[in-house]
Amino acid sequence: MDNSQIENTINEIRKRSGAVTAFNKDKISNAIFRALAATSKADRGLADQLADNVVNKLVEQGFTSTRTPTVEDIQDIVESTLIDSGNSDIAKAYIVYRHERRKLRDEKMKVLNLKALDPVSKKFDLNCLRVLSSRYLFRNGKNEIIESPTQMFERVAILVGIGDLMYDSQVFDNSGNSKQDVEEAMSYLEKLDAFDYKFKVGDYFFNKWHFRSLINHYVTLANKGQMKIGFKELLTLLAAKKLDSYADKITEYFELMVAQDFLPNSPTMMNAGGRLGQLSACFVLGMNDGMEEIMKSTSDAALIFKSGGGVGINYSDLREEGDIVASTSGVASGPVSFMNIINTVTEVVKQGGKRRGANMGIIEAWHPDVEKFITNKTEPGVLENFNVSVGVWEDFWHALVNTSDGNYVLRSPRDKKPVKEINAHQLIDLIALSAWKSAEPGLIFFDQINKYNVFAKARQAPLRATNPCGEQSLYPYESCNLGSINLVNLVKRQADGTYEFDWQRYEETIRKTTRFLDNIIDVNHYPVPEINVASKESRRIGLGVMGVADLLYKLRIPYNSKEGYELQSKLSEALTYYSMEESVALAKSRGEFPLCSKTEYPEGKIPVAGYYEKPKESHSYEWDALIEKIKQYGIRNVLTTTVAPTGTLSMIADCSNGMEPAFALVFEKRVTVGRFFYTNKIVEQVLKENNLYSDEILAKIADNYGSLKGIDEIPQWMQDVFVTAMDIHWSDHLMAQGVWQDWIGNAIAKTINMPYDVTAEDVKSAYLLAHEIGLKGITVYRDGSRHKQVLHMTSDNAQKTFDVTPSEHVTNYVSTQITNPYIKSQVNAALALKVHDEEIKPEPIQQQEEVPEDRLCPTCKNNLVFVEGCSICIECGFSGCTSG
């Protein structure tokens, strides 16, 4: 029967929910093809032929355009058709497939508290939905889920779309010469309930919290003289459908998220279109040396935690312990005591009811209490809600690498007078030893952060603090909203089955998502008035990436190879170039960020190290032309790119974390009936294609730290391409971070993984190499550190059977680029391949029951994994950080 006859005979199909949809024979063919593939007979021609037979049988059984078949009718006939055609093995595979689909459907409905699956639930896999249900979907007073994933993404997209709508030429006047009645608009804030689901754009209704954002956005622009019309006229335009074209923008944002091509940071998905309405992940507060200021910062931190954000504070302006307090004739208790206050507040105030807050506590190397600060967290149970870092400047680095004696002066925060002299080498050794033991503190290189800080001129001060994971430097009361593009989705399949990266789609996605994040600034409901002001003065955004490791797997490029580094460099350069170019386009239509004229942008400076430090002939884009555009039109956002942790977001997008290599290719999950394995999907497919997929191989990989390295059955090309974090030498981790940092405006969240048998000297050498490469900060994680093992390694009896060595790329860099004799000698010594004593064995992996409570996920009590400077749970998506 040809297609025209079929379509005239059967037009529709009744779904399980009772809804009727168009009949599509291709869906039958696809289901049969999957059953064929399960029996290793993947034959598209045979699948199409059998699908034709199914349709003929449907017609024979009397189904017509007036008698619509159900999904179950069709599935029953598929089974009988397969049996009748002598394909009983395929019929069995189809029956199993059908049973598994039903089981999966039931499980999804149970997880989401749904009677029928919405479109997103059908598309997303079960693990993604578990994360959405545990953290993002709205719940009622009884803690029951009351929205579907589709509704969640819609409420986010609608809010972002309101950001565009307010810049329509019918409404917006960039000249700032219009005066409107702001009080009239604000009066609507008193009657939000009356406007719940009253206005819409296209088919998208605004709930009362969307309506609140519309009012606040209007008020902000009206106060700048940029609203052409009164608020009631705006509502009239909405009612008359004069702004309905923005439904297309909302759909565009919605599709970006549901296609898993891009996700904004967690607070945006948790709070957009909700009462809290706070959409940013990162905040920094000041901490000045006065009781009123300290209490104000503590109170502001509590409000930020409550709204779903994390806070970074530099405590260096607080006088050292034991210093005299003139007003009381008492003695100061020191910065660490005030960190304990914030730690307690964090414990008490759960972020938006979803998770505890996260903090970054910083003390600069010149502070008299720096040694106490460094060793403070080596004991368990201390400052559990903090990441801590030591901030270093040029003077410390000079004392460390350029002076013979290494003498370094610690100074009073009160008057900057010398308090005592220490040795810079001893201090860096202390930091390295502490990080070797407990993964903390990290190091923040404030000299590198401020090297191309175009904003310092406007703020008349350098940057001195970062968010909790260290990738986002901010001034006091600034916030930043982050988002990540899923790079593995941006590939095109070639005719020969290989993949290539789609650069054009990457550019389009960067432009759309830059606009998305810029809109978030306008529709955000900030927790503190000062944050509202500072965030809008700079309009800082942090567009980043995830899925880098998976992308390289698909392209068959080793992460730590010359080709791998070159691709990552171009990806990073494109990200910042196109996002800045889009930011200029936004400045032309909406205006530059308010402080732009006071920065170094009008002088032709940009906050991108690669532009200055990489040879011009190696640049892939026309940076000089972009700089000229910025000088002419300004730029909308002071900085546009950040590579943030994406632990939870990666689980929703079903891809690898940030720009990290994969942590492991196979995880073991113990269940009562035996061993069960989670396997990286791309690797699973390759193992199947090469007839290597079996429980025995998975067990071998799990017992080998989740790595393919050194497993005889695995071909060498696979071992080279499918590398894990533990397969890559720590110096290559640094090099990869550096390749991204060259072009990223803000910074990178990355964990420098080290094996258990490195020394504190290796950690110190990593610091030296990190600074030399131009990193803005470094977090080292030695396997086996942190008191008890945080990493639930891939198997309870995992042992590493291989040594890793630096890549040629690293050794070439060290020999040709490092000129400082001290740094060169230290790094060369650390990179020399060590031959380990045969008797040395890996530290035993803690059994699950031995892991202390604070190392278990607070949501589901499974073990936490330490990735990107952050503990995350691979079961439910809990994250110790706030951005992802």
Side-chain angles (χ1 to χ4, degrees):
M1 185 181 291
D2 66 39
N3 276 346
S4 62
Q5 288 174 294
I6 293 166
E7 282 159 15
N8 288 334
T9 310
I10 302 173
N11 300 323
E12 295 176 327
I13 173 174
R14 190 172 299 280
K15 296 162 80 173
R16 286 178 190 83
S17 63
V20 171
T21 189
F23 179 82
N24 183 351
K25 189 190 79 171
D26 290 344
K27 288 191 174 180
I28 299 172
S29 178
N30 289 339
I32 295 172
F33 180 75
R34 283 192 285 265
L36 287 165
T39 57
S40 304
K41 294 181 185 174
D43 182 335
R44 179 54 74 183
L46 177 57
D48 289 342
Q49 182 192 327
L50 290 168
D52 283 338
N53 296 348
V54 170
V55 174
N56 290 333
K57 271 200 172 189
L58 281 165
V59 174
E60 286 165 17
Q61 292 194 12
F63 291 108
T64 64
S65 56
T66 55
R67 185 176 171 228
T68 303
T70 65
V71 170
E72 283 81 4
D73 291 330
I74 292 172
Q75 290 181 337
D76 290 342
I77 290 171
V78 170
E79 287 180 16
S80 63
T81 302
L82 289 170
I83 292 165
D84 293 349
S85 63
N87 289 294
S88 57
D89 57 335
I90 300 165
K92 184 180 173 188
Y94 179 78
I95 291 164
V96 169
Y97 166 75
R98 189 177 169 185
H99 172 70
E100 291 298 323
R101 294 273 294 182
R102 187 184 302 119
K103 215 163 79 176
L104 180 63
R105 209 164 43 245
D106 291 346
E107 184 69 19
K108 283 181 174 183
M109 287 192 290
K110 185 177 163 192
V111 164
L112 298 168
N113 192 29
L114 291 173
K115 299 280 191 296
L117 294 181
D118 63 304
V120 174
S121 307
K122 287 178 183 173
K123 178 180 178 292
F124 280 31
D125 80 11
L126 185 57
N127 274 351
C128 302
L129 298 177
R130 281 200 180 111
V131 175
L132 286 178
S133 71
S134 69
R135 298 187 53 172
Y136 298 97
L137 301 180
F138 281 173
R139 293 170 180 263
N140 62 16
K142 298 177 184 172
N143 204 31
E144 298 162 335
I145 294 169
I146 53 169
E147 71 175 348
S148 69
T150 301
Q151 289 167 328
M152 183 207 80
F153 286 120
E154 276 186 357
R155 68 170 158 81
V156 176
I158 290 166
L159 191 69
V160 180
I162 288 171
D164 287 310
L165 177 149
M166 295 299 288
Y167 292 105
D168 185 273
S169 58
Q170 301 169 77
V171 180
F172 178 72
D173 170 19
N174 198 16
S175 71
N177 296 325
S178 300
K179 185 158 175 52
Q180 302 298 340
D181 183 354
V182 172
E183 294 300 320
E184 177 188 80
M186 291 180 72
S187 70
Y188 280 82
L189 291 170
E190 304 301 315
K191 44 190 176 184
L192 291 179
D193 286 343
F195 289 91
D196 202 18
Y197 296 98
K198 291 290 164 56
F199 286 92
K200 63 175 183 168
V201 171
D203 293 327
Y204 296 106
F205 278 91
F206 296 176
N207 69 24
K208 63 182 175 182
W209 307 118
H210 292 130
F211 191 68
R212 177 182 67 182
S213 286
L214 183 82
I215 300 165
N216 288 334
H217 192 4
Y218 177 92
V219 167
T220 300
L221 294 173
N223 279 332
K224 292 161 73 177
Q226 293 178 324
M227 285 287 92
K228 278 184 182 176
I229 59 175
F231 188 70
K232 285 184 179 174
E233 290 170 84
L234 171 64
L235 298 185
T236 305
L237 281 181
L238 279 169
K241 301 185 180 299
K242 292 287 171 60
L243 296 167
D244 270 15
S245 60
Y246 289 93
D248 294 341
K249 278 281 178 210
I250 293 171
T251 301
E252 185 179 274
Y253 298 136
F254 174 77
E255 288 175 350
L256 267 174
M257 293 183 286
V258 299
Q260 296 164 298
D261 288 347
F262 167 81
L263 291 170
N265 53 214
S266 288
T268 297
M269 293 198 292
M270 287 174 179
N271 297 334
R275 181 183 59 81
L276 281 171
Q278 197 292 102
L279 312 175
S280 302
C282 311
F283 298 85
V284 157
L285 294 172
M287 183 69 85
N288 292 324
D289 192 36
M291 194 51 68
E292 277 185 31
E293 292 103 317
I294 291 168
M295 288 301 112
K296 165 78 169 126
S297 293
T298 305
S299 162
D300 290 343
L303 292 171
I304 291 168
F305 298 144
K306 187 180 174 186
S307 75
V311 177
I313 297 177
N314 186 330
Y315 293 84
S316 304
D317 292 337
L318 300 184
R319 68 192 73 184
E320 71 273 22
E321 186 178 354
D323 191 31
I324 299 297
V325 181
S327 60
T328 61
S329 301
V331 294
S333 56
V336 173
S337 62
F338 289 106
M339 288 175 71
N340 281 311
I341 294 173
I342 297 278
N343 190 65
T344 305
V345 169
T346 315
E347 197 74 39
V348 173
V349 183
K350 284 199 170 181
Q351 288 182 319
K354 305 285 172 90
R355 53 184 175 175
R356 281 208 309 263
N359 293 279
M360 171 65 83
I362 300 165
I363 281 190
E364 293 169 30
W366 53 262
H367 194 284
D369 286 355
V370 66
E371 292 153 300
K372 178 184 177 183
F373 174 81
I374 290 164
T375 55
N376 196 46
K377 270 201 79 176
T378 49
E379 292 302 314
V382 176
L383 295 177
E384 284 291 315
N385 301 307
F386 268 85
N387 291 333
V388 295
S389 289
V390 175
V392 300
W393 296 88
E394 295 89 338
D395 62 340
F396 176 81
W397 208 252
H398 177 74
L400 182 68
V401 305
N402 292 327
T403 62
S404 54
D405 56 11
N407 288 348
Y408 184 65
V409 175
L410 304 186
R411 299 179 179 278
S412 165
R414 183 164 39 88
D415 52 17
K416 297 297 180 283
K417 287 181 180 171
V419 172
K420 67 173 177 175
E421 192 171 80
I422 62 163
N423 184 285
H425 292 280
Q426 289 177 357
L427 191 67
I428 203 87
D429 286 342
L430 187 65
I431 295 168
L433 181 62
S434 178
W436 181 89
K437 283 182 184 172
S438 65
E440 294 203 78
L443 267 191
I444 297 176
F445 301 125
F446 283 127
D447 54 341
Q448 302 283 21
I449 284 171
N450 286 287
K451 195 172 184 182
Y452 304 108
N453 176 12
V454 295
F455 201 32
K457 185 178 176 185
R459 288 290 186 206
Q460 298 185 317
L463 282 159
R464 290 182 60 206
T466 77
N467 71 321
C469 290
E471 80 282 1
Q472 186 62 67
S473 310
L474 297 167
Y475 283 95
Y477 287 114
E478 247 195 306
S479 71
C480 191
N481 34 288
L482 312 172
S484 301
I485 296 171
N486 179 4
L487 294 180
V488 73
N489 274 15
L490 303 181
V491 291
K492 295 186 286 194
R493 195 178 174 96
Q494 307 289 85
D496 63 359
T498 61
Y499 291 93
E500 73 167 351
F501 190 71
D502 190 337
W503 290 97
Q504 185 183 337
R505 209 171 130 223
Y506 187 37
E507 178 188 342
E508 289 164 5
T509 306
I510 293 166
R511 292 187 186 282
K512 287 176 190 173
T513 52
T514 297
R515 187 175 291 260
F516 183 118
L517 293 177
D518 184 65
N519 287 355
I520 292 285
I521 296 165
D522 291 325
V523 295
N524 205 338
H525 195 65
Y526 295 97
V528 177
E530 293 94 331
I531 294 172
N532 184 34
V533 172
S535 302
K536 288 174 180 172
E537 282 180 341
S538 62
R539 302 192 68 87
R540 191 187 297 260
I541 59 171
L543 181 60
V545 295
M546 54 186 164
V548 171
D550 284 346
L551 171 68
L552 291 165
Y553 288 170
K554 280 217 165 174
L555 299 177
R556 303 288 189 266
I557 298 172
Y559 184 96
N560 52 336
S561 65
K562 183 172 184 287
E563 194 183 357
Y565 288 130
E566 284 172 355
L567 177 63
Q568 291 183 73
S569 178
K570 192 177 175 191
L571 288 165
S572 179
E573 185 181 355
L575 185 72
T576 296
Y577 180 84
Y578 288 128
S579 66
M580 286 181 72
E581 195 174 67
E582 187 63 21
S583 185
V584 173
L586 288 168
K588 282 162 78 173
S589 60
R590 302 180 180 183
E592 63 188 21
F593 71 91
L595 292 179
C596 187
S597 63
K598 295 181 178 175
T599 69
E600 291 181 328
Y601 275 122
E603 299 163 28
K605 304 234 177 106
I606 58 171
V608 183
Y611 171 72
Y612 299 101
E613 297 178 7
K614 308 285 281 184
K616 277 235 165 121
E617 61 274 13
S618 72
H619 297 181
S620 299
Y621 299 96
E622 297 295 325
W623 287 94
D624 289 330
L626 176 59
I627 288 169
E628 287 308 310
K629 280 193 218 165
I630 295 171
K631 284 163 77 174
Q632 186 176 355
Y633 302 110
I635 191 166
R636 180 75 170 160
N637 313 97
V638 65
L639 272 83
T640 63
T641 52
T642 307
V643 179
T646 62
T648 320
L649 299 187
S650 296
M651 295 179 81
I652 299 168
D654 203 11
C655 67
S656 54
N657 289 339
M659 51 80 52
E660 294 276 15
F663 173 67
L665 302 178
V666 179
F667 286 99
E668 176 189 350
K669 183 180 180 185
R670 294 268 169 170
V671 288
T672 48
V673 291
R675 300 178 80 180
F676 172 76
F677 300 102
Y678 287 127
T679 309
N680 177 284
K681 289 180 180 177
I682 301 167
V683 173
E684 183 176 321
Q685 187 61 36
V686 170
L687 290 172
K688 285 177 177 174
E689 286 168 5
N690 289 272
N691 297 317
L692 289 168
Y693 188 80
S694 67
D695 278 350
E696 291 73 30
I697 282 286
L698 297 185
K700 272 194 175 183
I701 299 168
D703 292 346
N704 192 42
Y705 269 48
S707 167
L708 306 183
K709 284 271 188 258
I711 298 177
D712 293 339
E713 296 93 322
I714 305 287
Q716 191 60 45
W717 75 266
M718 280 193 212
Q719 295 188 33
D720 292 340
V721 166
F722 299 105
V723 289
T724 69
M726 295 300 281
D727 298 342
I728 296 170
H729 193 271
W730 57 260
S731 60
D732 279 287
H733 279 282
L734 286 172
M735 191 57 66
Q737 186 174 342
V739 159
W740 281 91
Q741 187 62 77
D742 283 338
W743 296 107
I744 295 297
N746 293 299
I748 320 278
K750 167 103 183 68
T751 299
I752 307 305
N753 292 89
M754 291 186 161
Y756 67 95
D757 51 4
V758 296
T759 65
E761 281 296 311
D762 292 324
V763 176
K764 176 181 172 180
S765 296
Y767 296 157
L768 296 171
L769 184 56
H771 189 274
E772 198 70 14
I773 288 170
L775 300 190
K776 296 183 177 181
I778 173 173
T779 304
V780 167
Y781 183 82
R782 182 182 67 90
D783 180 31
S785 60
R786 292 212 157 190
H787 329 301
K788 294 268 188 172
Q789 182 72 302
V790 174
L791 292 168
H792 179 43
M793 278 319 278
T794 45
S795 158
D796 281 344
N797 48 0
Q799 287 206 357
K800 194 181 75 164
T801 58
F802 52 89
D803 261 318
V804 295
T805 55
S807 70
E808 198 177 324
H809 189 83
V810 170
T811 52
N812 283 346
Y813 179 89
V814 173
S815 62
T816 61
Q817 301 298 313
I818 297 182
T819 54
N820 180 287
Y822 173 73
I823 297 174
K824 195 158 194 162
S825 66
Q826 292 282 314
V827 172
N828 272 330
L831 297 188
L833 178 61
K834 298 181 177 71
V835 180
H836 298 294
D837 187 323
E838 289 301 310
E839 293 304 304
I840 295 177
K841 297 288 185 214
E843 296 178 9
I845 306 308
Q846 301 294 329
Q847 300 295 319
Q848 183 147 336
E849 61 270 23
E850 292 175 41
V851 180
E853 273 297 308
D854 61 325
R855 300 300 170 204
L856 295 177
C857 172
T859 306
C860 70
K861 299 304 176 193
N862 278 287
N863 295 65
L864 295 173
V865 171
F866 191 75
V867 197
E868 299 168 303
C870 204
S871 298
I872 69 161
C873 175
I874 61 161
E875 292 286 331
C876 73
F878 166 84
S879 171
C881 291
T882 49
S883 38

